[in-house]
């Protein structure tokens, strides 16, 4: 199975310049990691590279075992600089680690390789000074990332909303931001669950409707499902032709044309209100009701349906 590499966000030119400057001053390899020990930016080698550093640069991320070891030392909870002991079996030299914090948030960990030559007091002072600078930059990046993430959430919510105009606008923004591929369509599965006790069940039915009903174009709202809110609670095994009334099966088996099927669909949608006399046809009647009226006789004759007056419709 291919491993999915989740790298840290790029640090940008400002952080890279800080890391490079400190490394040149110390003559040692320096790396800035995020709180999950994922590399943000790193300096060049100074002949002090170890196996962990080489593998991290080649793979783009440290080995899982190395990350577990670093976190197990409690580095993410440190409030002051300390030394991370090396481990020969991992190919890891010791590191001088400085937690980068701002307003209580751990933003990253600055690490300097420790070789046989120990860090001097002047070098430790330089590391402490340099570690203060990234905090402001990284905190600003965190705030910007939070704002971007919140905006992305709003766009995704619009993408699965019922307003087609907002959906198109949200799709365009997400494509422009590189968060969605540029294509004629995108498949999104979203389930919104409110605080109502039946919300999970409603969400399942709405998701099922979005998948099964082509006329919904992949967007389903529980409040607008109507009779499907009840029908789609039936198991798939029950949703078959056995549910159709005998009269309806007789109509379909007779090879009814599309016009007759459309008429039959209109009949229940209009609550069975169908004029059954030619005098009921007026120019002011909506075209849809006129189609229903003109085809009513054929449908009623084949199904045995009754009109709104209670009498069986006849062919005129």
């Amino acid at each position: 199975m291919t491993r999915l590499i989740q790298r840290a966000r790029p640090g940008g030119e400002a952080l890279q310049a800080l890391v490079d400057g400190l490394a040149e001053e110390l003559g040692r390899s320096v790396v800035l990691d995020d709180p999950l020990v994922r590399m943000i930016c790193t300096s060049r080698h100074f002949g002090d590279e170890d196996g962990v550093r080489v593998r991290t640069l080649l793979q783009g991320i440290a080995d899982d075992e190395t990350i577990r070891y670093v976190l197990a030392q409690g580095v993410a909870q440190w409030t002051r600089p300390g030394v991370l002991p090396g481990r020969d079996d991992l190919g890891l030299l010791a590191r001088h680690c400085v937690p980068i914090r701002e307003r209580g948030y751990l933003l990253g960990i600055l690490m300097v390789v420790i070789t046989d030559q120990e860090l001097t007091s002047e070098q430790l002072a330089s590391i402490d000074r340099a570690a203060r600078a990234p905090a402001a930059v990284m905190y600003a990046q965190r705030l910007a990332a939070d704002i971007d993430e919140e905006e992305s959430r709003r766009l995704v919510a619009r993408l699965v909303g019922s307003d087609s105009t907002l959906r198109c606008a949200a799709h365009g923004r997400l494509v422009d931001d590189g968060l969605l591929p540029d294509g004629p369509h995108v498949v999104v599965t979203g389930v919104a669950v409110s605080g109502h006790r039946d919300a999970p069940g409603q969400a399942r039915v709405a998701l099922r409707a979005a998948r099964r009903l082509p006329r919904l174009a992949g967007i389903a709202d529980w409040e607008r499902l109507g009779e499907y809110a009840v029908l789609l609670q039936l198991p798939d095994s029950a949703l078959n032709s056995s549910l159709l009334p005998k009269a309806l099966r007789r109509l379909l088996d007779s090879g009814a044309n599309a016009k007759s099927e459309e008429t039959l669909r209109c009949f229940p949608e209009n609550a069975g209100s169908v004029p059954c006399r030619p005098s009921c046809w007026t120019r002011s009647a909506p075209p849809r009701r006129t189609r229903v009226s003109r085809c009513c006789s054929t449908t009623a004759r084949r199904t045995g349906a009754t009109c709104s007056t209670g009498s069986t419709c006849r062919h005129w």
Side-chain angles (χ1 to χ4, degrees):
M1 181 177 179
T2 303
R3 180 189 179 193
L4 178 62
I5 298 179
Q6 295 181 331
R7 295 183 173 88
R9 290 177 178 269
E13 294 182 3
L15 291 179
Q16 186 64 57
L18 289 170
V19 169
D20 288 340
L22 178 60
E24 294 296 334
E25 180 180 351
L26 300 175
R28 296 173 183 259
S29 297
V30 178
V31 65
L32 178 61
D33 287 341
D34 73 357
L36 297 178
V37 199
R38 299 178 302 187
M39 182 176 62
I40 297 176
C41 50
T42 184
S43 70
R44 68 180 181 89
H45 296 325
F46 289 84
D48 54 359
E49 63 274 12
D50 56 14
V52 168
R53 180 174 173 82
V54 172
R55 289 195 301 273
T56 299
L57 290 173
L58 292 175
Q59 298 171 173
I61 191 170
D63 298 330
D64 291 341
E65 190 174 357
T66 301
I67 293 176
R68 284 195 294 269
Y69 170 70
V70 173
L71 294 177
Q73 308 313 302
V75 174
Q77 284 74 46
W78 290 1
T79 58
R80 62 184 63 185
V83 174
L84 175 74
R87 268 187 57 176
D88 292 339
D89 60 321
L90 294 178
L92 176 70
L93 293 174
R95 288 340 189 234
H96 180 81
C97 301
V98 183
I100 308 298
R101 293 184 179 274
E102 179 72 17
R103 304 187 186 185
Y105 292 105
L106 177 64
L107 303 173
I109 305 167
L110 184 68
M111 296 187 180
V112 179
V113 174
I114 299 177
T115 59
D116 295 337
Q117 185 178 0
E118 295 291 330
L119 291 166
T120 66
S121 57
E122 290 79 8
Q123 288 177 323
L124 290 174
S126 296
I127 294 171
D128 288 342
R129 286 194 302 271
R132 299 190 193 104
V137 176
M138 297 177 74
Y139 186 70
Q141 290 178 346
R142 178 192 176 102
L143 292 180
D146 289 345
I147 293 173
D148 290 343
E149 186 174 351
E150 181 60 31
E151 177 62 16
S152 296
R153 288 197 189 100
R154 283 196 293 267
L155 290 173
V156 170
R158 293 176 182 174
L159 189 65
V160 297
S162 57
D163 190 311
S164 60
T165 302
L166 291 179
R167 285 203 306 269
C168 291
H171 179 260
R173 274 288 308 279
L174 290 169
V175 169
D176 291 342
D177 293 344
L179 299 176
L180 281 180
D182 187 6
H185 65 275
V186 61
V187 178
V188 177
T189 298
V191 176
V193 178
S194 65
H196 193 276
R197 64 177 184 175
D198 295 329
Q202 294 175 0
R204 284 192 293 271
V205 172
L207 183 58
R208 195 177 180 198
R211 290 173 173 173
R212 292 183 66 100
L213 303 178
R215 69 180 182 84
L216 296 181
I219 304 295
D221 184 343
W222 165 266
E223 299 295 338
R224 300 182 181 184
L225 287 181
E227 67 274 13
Y228 290 108
V230 177
L231 292 175
L232 288 175
Q233 294 186 51
L234 296 173
D236 286 333
S237 58
L239 293 175
N240 52 53
S241 58
S242 65
L243 292 180
L244 299 178
K246 183 178 180 180
L248 179 56
R249 290 202 301 272
R250 186 165 63 247
L251 172 67
L252 296 176
D253 293 341
S254 68
N257 57 33
K259 189 173 183 180
S260 296
E261 290 187 26
E262 180 189 2
T263 300
L264 191 57
R265 292 180 186 276
C266 292
F267 187 80
E269 287 179 1
N270 288 273
S273 176
V274 179
C276 61
R277 296 178 181 175
S279 60
C280 297
W281 302 350
T282 63
R283 292 186 177 180
S284 61
R288 187 177 189 183
R289 294 292 299 277
T290 300
R291 288 201 307 271
V292 172
S293 302
R294 292 177 178 173
C295 297
C296 175
S297 60
T298 303
T299 303
R301 176 162 49 81
R302 291 178 174 173
T303 63
T306 58
C307 68
S308 57
T309 63
S311 59
T312 302
C313 294
R314 302 292 181 184
H315 182 66
W316 298 312

